[in-house]
Amino acid sequence: MIDIAPAPALHAIDEDAAWEAFHARNRSADGRFVVAVRTTGIYCRPSCAARRPRREHVRFLDSPQAARAAGFRACLRCLPDAVARDRQAVAAAIAAIDAAEAPPPLDRLAAQVGYAPHHFHRLFKRATGVTPAAYARARRTARATQALAAEPSVTAALYEAGYAAPSRFYADSDQRLGMAPGQWRRGGEGVSIVWTVTPSSMGPLLVAMTERGLARVAFEDDERALSQSLPAAELRPADTPTRDRIARIVTATEAPDPLLTEPARRLSFIEAVSRALLDAG
């Protein structure tokens, strides 16, 4: 057994929770602590793909710096020292997407944060649950609903939301508004909407659907905001099979990295659920 200095006590989380996250290779725990193994002298991310040691050989430390101070060295497989840099890159990319008038291309976004495109694509999706392009689409959809309520015409709204052409806006509106933009502006006139609220790992989630797509996916615990935004629509609670199907999809969707900003986490989660619902038909 390698002679390693005693590890300081972990105060941020309890050791049972840390072990469970490590045993499950939970990526959301990366960056919250590192796992040091006395028999090898190596420290890893909780999600490291390496074979799991026995629990009595494991120590949990709150940072790579603490692990190095205790005499451990970084795993060359999972590169635990890169977690902070990875998180900073994802956060910077999210800020760039949020500030852009139109979705930035992956190549430009990756170069801006100092990563190769394919590697950054995987990194972003691992942290948020969606790709950079999907996150940008979600941001544009949010802007579109706001613009439809505020702008004097559908044409003005689509350009305000960042669409370069009406064709893309109208194509998206079927799935992302569940109706034509004009119907949305008229409060859902002539549209029938089914809705349900289901628990999620991030709080109660309202899902409202039409025959054409999703009318609303939002962190809300009742239908009041839906009714206010679409007062002319016919609203009815979803039937049991629909509620169960939505609940399964929401439950299966993992929450994004807990260290991202809350607005980014919520938008990413909503987009991941929306995509899964649309793919499921």
Side-chain angles (χ1 to χ4, degrees):
M1 183 175 290
I2 297 172
D3 186 18
I4 297 294
L10 183 70
H11 299 293
I13 60 173
D14 67 67
E15 295 208 359
D16 287 341
W19 173 258
E20 288 179 9
F22 176 53
H23 191 263
R25 294 183 171 85
N26 188 343
R27 292 186 184 277
S28 69
D30 289 354
R32 296 171 58 192
F33 60 89
V34 295
V35 184
V37 184
R38 292 190 63 208
T39 51
T40 62
I42 289 172
Y43 66 92
C44 304
R45 305 183 189 207
S47 67
C48 184
R51 182 179 177 182
R52 272 17 190 178
R54 293 170 64 177
R55 182 168 181 176
E56 59 263 32
H57 295 156
V58 167
R59 298 291 183 269
F60 301 107
L61 297 101
D62 60 9
S63 69
Q65 293 86 346
R68 290 195 297 272
F72 295 92
R73 64 187 185 278
C75 174
L76 297 178
R77 183 171 186 173
C78 69
L79 303 175
D81 293 352
V83 174
R85 179 174 178 260
D86 291 349
R87 275 204 171 100
Q88 290 170 358
V90 171
I94 286 173
I97 294 170
D98 288 346
E101 292 186 3
L106 175 62
D107 289 356
R108 189 203 311 160
L109 196 63
Q112 186 174 333
V113 297
Y115 284 76
H118 292 301
H119 176 64
F120 184 68
H121 187 274
R122 292 193 299 270
L123 185 70
F124 191 99
K125 186 171 183 180
R126 187 171 67 195
T128 65
V130 297
T131 66
Y135 182 88
R137 283 196 300 271
R139 174 57 64 203
R140 189 167 60 178
T141 297
R143 288 174 178 165
T145 56
Q146 293 171 356
L148 281 171
E151 296 298 319
S153 68
V154 171
T155 301
L158 73 91
Y159 288 118
E160 177 64 24
Y163 284 88
S167 59
R168 182 70 267 165
F169 179 66
Y170 279 92
D172 282 356
S173 69
D174 261 4
Q175 290 191 329
R176 299 301 179 134
L177 300 179
M179 64 194 77
Q183 287 176 297
W184 182 276
R185 282 179 58 80
R186 295 192 298 273
E189 183 180 82
V191 177
S192 178
I193 299 173
V194 298
W195 65 274
T196 185
V197 174
T198 189
S200 82
S201 57
M202 294 183 63
L205 191 73
L206 177 135
V207 176
M209 309 173 70
T210 72
E211 291 183 351
R212 296 167 68 170
L214 301 171
R216 188 179 184 89
V217 181
F219 286 100
E220 296 162 353
D221 55 13
D222 59 39
E223 82 285 9
R224 283 179 294 179
L226 173 68
S227 179
Q228 290 169 3
S229 62
L230 298 170
E234 176 196 356
L235 305 183
R236 66 179 191 276
D239 58 26
T240 299
T242 301
R243 290 200 308 271
D244 290 346
R245 178 172 63 88
I246 291 172
R248 285 194 298 270
I249 289 173
V250 172
T251 300
T253 303
E254 293 185 8
D257 185 338
L259 295 187
L260 294 175
T261 65
E262 193 64 15
R265 295 184 75 234
R266 285 174 170 253
L267 187 66
S268 298
F269 189 83
I270 286 170
E271 174 60 21
V273 168
S274 298
R275 188 68 264 165
L277 288 167
L278 291 170
D279 288 345

